[in-house]
Amino acid sequence: MHGLKAVAEKINSYEKIYEGFSDGQLKEKTAEFKQRLVKGESLNDILAEAFALVREASKRTLGQRHFDVQLQGGIILHQGKIAEMKTGEGKTLVATLPLYLNALEAKGCHLVTVNDYLAKRDTVWMGQIYYELGLTIGCTTHEASYLYDPGYQQENQISKRWGKIQNDNSKLKINEADEERDIVGGFKVVESFLRPCTKKEAYAADITYGTNNEFGFDYLRDNMVYDLREKSQRDFSFAIIDEVDSILIDEARTPLIISAPEQDASKMYQQFSRLVPQLKEKEDYQIDEKLRAATLTEEGINKVEKLLGMKDIYQEAGIKYLHHLEQSLKAEVLFKKDRDYVVKNDEVVIVDEFTGRLLPGRRWSGGLHQAVEAKEGVRVQPESLTMATITFQNLFRMYKKLAGMTGTALTSAEEFAKVYNLEVVVVPTNKPMVRIDLQDKVFKGEKGKFLAVVQEIKQKYEKGQPILVGTRSVEKNEYLGQLLSREGIPHQILNAKHHEQEGQVIAQAGRPKTVTIATNMAGRGVDIILGGNPPDPEEAEKVKELGGLHIIGTERHDARRIDNQLRGRSGRQGDSGSSQFFLSLEDDLLRIFGGETIQKLMEALKIPETEPIEAKMISKVLEEAQSRIEGFNLDARSHLLEYDNVINKHRETIYRKRKEILEIEDEKRKAQITALLAKYGYSTEEYEKREKEIGAATMRQAEKIVFLRVLDSFWVEHLENLESLQDAVRLRAYGQQDPLIEFKNEAHKMFKGLLDTIDAEAAKVLNGIKPASKEEIERERRGMVMASSPQNAPKVGRNDPCPCGAKHPDGRPVKYKHCHGK
């Protein structure tokens, strides 16, 4: 850290100089930095001056001055490392330093965050700094893309006041017009500063904010385009990942997938959803909670055959049918509503098991999502065919330089180093940490535990101390809310369903007599300031005297990091605060992984349900259980990555081939096609003749489309084959063969065959090219009209009339599945 302090002192030496600059001179300095880089200076050469300039812009726009420890954090991020900074230390502001510096090279820099709300909020909040210095700022979200533009709606230009609210100790009076807008974390989120734009424009900005999902899906979509002008992203130059442990570790077990409907299996899943509840555990199926697996027994299969009126399910329906049945069983007995998923707008939305955050657009694979949909009685969406897929590990390893920030990274330092080559550096807090972390209270049963939690909340509430309660699931979150309502204790419930509103609520969680119940992710990214936000000095002082914000955890999480994140909501910036976990022997962690020790303890205890158990061995069992699960999850992520590394080599080759097809010059393309036709024995004179009939320009365009369509269709088939291969090689472990080595060998042969097949099929199709008929031209025109229709148009069923308007000779509309859905 000594070297970092020396650089921070150098940055400080420029402060007085830049204070005398006009706003215009700040922008001129940016232009000067860019020129110096062109002439041969490095980013490190100008770092101290650039960081000092950002600090000056922040003072002028937000009224916030970067602390020396924040400067150190910025240096760590610029070096391509992970900065562990405690909650409330101002990570959002820290990121502006390296983002500005690296954006001077004009290659585009990305700030990756966990939800659309934070992406938009930080674009507008931090955008003021970049804008003051003459840079452009983009934002890409699930709904739309934007450019930061303070002149977009002049009447709402209140940005100069935002940051100053944060440091203003007098009680702020907000006029009526302002009251209708959101006050979050001491600043205002005003969408009128975000000008809607195309994705391409958002990525063309000097700095782009967005979510991990959107950056990943945009990468996959860019590698499915048929024209280079449709691509939106630039090179992967520099990215800072906020909540880096959440994105690179917790979400790394679920790959991103772009899929298309393959077949409608809704009736089959609906049939299974009625059949499965008739089966009995231990008799018809076995459950392994540790592996989250449910398997039919021989008796169970016999019972299913009887219920379906079949003699032999294997012969009459096949293994795939049985696989779907087992997925329905898994959905029924292992996947719980409001824990693993929620039903929102008649859709099943996955809840991230680590963060409690909703994952809209993400679906479980292998038919599991359809099985859950059938169980919940919502529309069962057609099974999907994978068109493109990538893991977050391989997505973010594409950046030339990657950095991250979080409050909890050190416990996962080994994985960050091994998988991403990222070093974790702990940044000291600006003020000493004084939060008191109390010893866990353990109860015999869950009911007793929650009754004790309610009593604890009641005592603190009556004193006036603010309380934040953390729960692991939406279900427990709402259960505790009901108990508090019975006691007449006012409270707010947050469960990561509505990020924007929750940001407003959590910002006020530090006020006296405020009780907030939240799942792990709810309100992440928003500081809880004692006395409310903006703070009331009298209330802030009162809360400090009462001991600050008190955190109650109602269950230990599988990962210690998540527990530490909850504790970290209290004690920000040297504030007083406290935390305590209330546990029970019935909690999943102890019940599933506690083993015989906990079982014996349960049987031996003869104490009231609301009386805590004094047993040191429980803490030891908990630590062992968390350590085992962390190891288990690390193995699962490593396993996924090992297989995806094989697929990644294939993906890189295919995407490189696609890029060449899109970029190749006409003359080179013609030479390439001529050689390809000759290789497969077609007469090239005929091809030349057809080119004269069609026209050279049309022929080159046709060749490009043929190549891309052939490549895409075989790539999709290859992905499906790799998925099946992955399932098949697992069985080879029984024959003492390493499944991964078997997968690598088989996949290599398959890919070699794929490349040969693509060339052969392209040559065959190209050889058959002929001038189009009027009907074909009209159909293609209608297809183009369809392709240009808005993306949010209603989904078309396979048996619905095709939206392109095609009709049979007798006037009947052509079904979608026989036309553009083919």
Side-chain angles (χ1 to χ4, degrees), residues 25-43:
Q25 284 175 306
L26 293 183
K27 284 186 173 71
E28 286 167 15
K29 200 70 184 169
T30 294
E32 180 202 306
F33 288 151
K34 287 180 178 178
Q35 279 302 309
R36 283 164 61 181
L37 290 171
V38 170
K39 287 176 182 174
E41 284 191 65
S42 71
L43 291 177

Side-chain angles (χ1 to χ4, degrees), residues 472-485:
R472 268 194 69 171
S473 69
V474 178
E475 180 189 21
K476 296 287 191 297
N477 185 295
E478 289 169 352
Y479 170 64
L480 182 56
Q482 288 165 9
L483 294 180
L484 289 174
S485 295

